[in-house]
Amino acid sequence: MMRANSDAKWDRRIRRANELAASYPFAAEGLRYYVRVATFQKDVYGEIQKALANAPRISSDRPLRDELDFFLLLPKFPGFLSVIQKIAPAALAQAAANLAMKGSAAWQRTIEDFWYRDSELAGTEEQDESFNPSGASSSERALAWIFLQPYAEYLADHREVTIVDGTPSTCPLCGGRPAVGVLRSEGDGAKKSLICMLCAHEWLFRRIYCPACGEEREPQMAFYSAPEIAHVRVDVCDTCHTYLKSVDLTKTGLAVAVVDELATIPLDLWAREHGYQKLQINLLGT
């Protein structure tokens, strides 16, 4: 039953990406790439679930990033790099080819560097590599992110439920930045939550609050949307000039937040043209 439920989650993302690729031609290429990535990630998730089927649930007191099973993960990495070389945009495909030639010691180092030190990977569109102690390129960290995402999501899904106090701006399970916000019906309005860029955990969040700088003065917070993509909006902060997109499920119940975020590229272009910087880029690098 658990495997069926996990398959349904990945299948829903893949199905939604295919639907949006047909509806939004400007995003079709990126969404087709995402479909192939998500298909691979679904298989990895299933393999991890089978391998750890008899493992106890992780205690809520134990940080998620304390878990890193190289005996389970490392044998899957060469196959992952091979897939990425075939399906990814040129720069990432070349990074995968280069990393494949470096061997298992470099693979392990790349995975460790992201898991333990680069939880805020690509939080900005431009990174100064001189401040990266691991020596890994931004492309190599992106590869580690894509590879580790289904593992982190499995750990989050098989963790004891924990009660979170306050309004954490990063994931209470793994410390990752939010990738997208979600609005759901609640009474006469909507409640907001955030979804983690790494483990896909979703946690409740205040409606008027900046996850980047903690601004909570309403005049400094705003949101913008376009009529053509009315169910997705750009939440901006005029104090730190960051933005995060939110998907409004009260307008489109069929939306899948992490996928619809990928498809709405015009909103990213608008935000950047108006001087806002994205809190956390997505798997397409936008």
Side-chain angles (χ1 to χ4, degrees), residues 26-37:
F26 53 80
E29 183 178 357
L31 288 168
R32 285 194 290 267
Y33 165 63
Y34 171 75
V35 165
R36 300 180 75 177
V37 168

Side-chain angles (χ1 to χ4, degrees), residues 110-278:
T110 298
I111 291 169
E112 281 182 320
D113 286 336
F114 174 79
W115 190 255
Y116 292 125
R117 287 189 282 274
D118 286 328
S119 61
E120 295 184 353
L121 167 83
T124 61
E125 283 72 17
E126 297 180 0
Q127 289 187 329
D128 184 344
E129 299 294 349
S130 65
F131 287 97
N132 175 26
S134 71
S137 70
S138 58
S139 293
E140 287 175 343
R141 295 196 298 277
L143 289 169
W145 176 20
I146 296 168
F147 176 71
L148 287 166
Q149 199 278 315
Y151 175 66
E153 187 164 349
Y154 175 86
L155 295 179
D157 289 345
H158 295 78
R159 186 181 178 83
E160 293 177 355
V161 177
T162 183
I163 305 300
V164 178
D165 295 327
T167 304
S169 293
T170 56
C171 176
L173 299 191
C174 75
R177 287 185 174 188
V180 62
V182 184
L183 298 170
R184 289 189 171 85
S185 295
E186 184 179 56
D188 295 330
K191 64 179 179 181
K192 184 175 183 177
S193 57
L194 302 178
I195 297 178
C196 176
M197 52 78 78
L198 178 59
C199 73
H201 175 67
E202 184 174 338
W203 71 99
L204 290 176
F205 199 74
R206 289 165 55 184
R207 290 286 300 272
I208 307 298
Y209 194 83
C210 175
C213 71
E215 179 62 78
E216 55 187 342
R217 292 174 296 172
E218 192 165 347
Q220 294 299 104
M221 308 291 293
F223 67 87
Y224 302 92
S225 61
E228 301 82 3
I229 320 173
H231 72 292
V232 182
R233 71 186 205 185
V234 180
D235 296 331
V236 305
C237 174
D238 285 325
T239 298
C240 65
H241 301 286
T242 61
Y243 78 95
L244 183 73
K245 286 187 278 186
S246 290
V247 178
D248 191 341
L249 298 183
T250 68
K251 295 182 177 179
T252 304
L254 296 177
V256 177
V258 295
V259 181
D260 286 58
E261 197 282 331
L262 297 174
T264 49
I265 298 169
L267 297 180
D268 293 291
L269 297 176
W270 176 91
R272 289 167 185 159
E273 287 172 358
H274 287 77
Y276 298 104
Q277 183 172 307
K278 200 169 191 179

Side-chain angles (χ1 to χ4, degrees), residues 44 48 68-81 99 103-112 147-148 151:
V44 171
I48 292 170
L68 186 58
D69 189 339
F70 276 115
F71 290 103
L72 175 63
L73 293 172
L74 208 55
K76 304 180 189 304
F77 200 64
F80 164 73
L81 293 176
L99 188 55
S104 59
W107 305 341
Q108 180 169 334
R109 193 162 53 246
T110 298
I111 291 169
E112 281 182 320
F147 176 71
L148 287 166
Y151 175 66

Side-chain angles (χ1 to χ4, degrees), residues 53-69:
N54 298 318
R57 296 185 77 84
I58 302 170
S59 168
S60 60
D61 296 330
R62 183 177 174 86
L64 185 147
R65 287 188 188 245
D66 281 0
E67 308 289 327
L68 186 58
D69 189 339

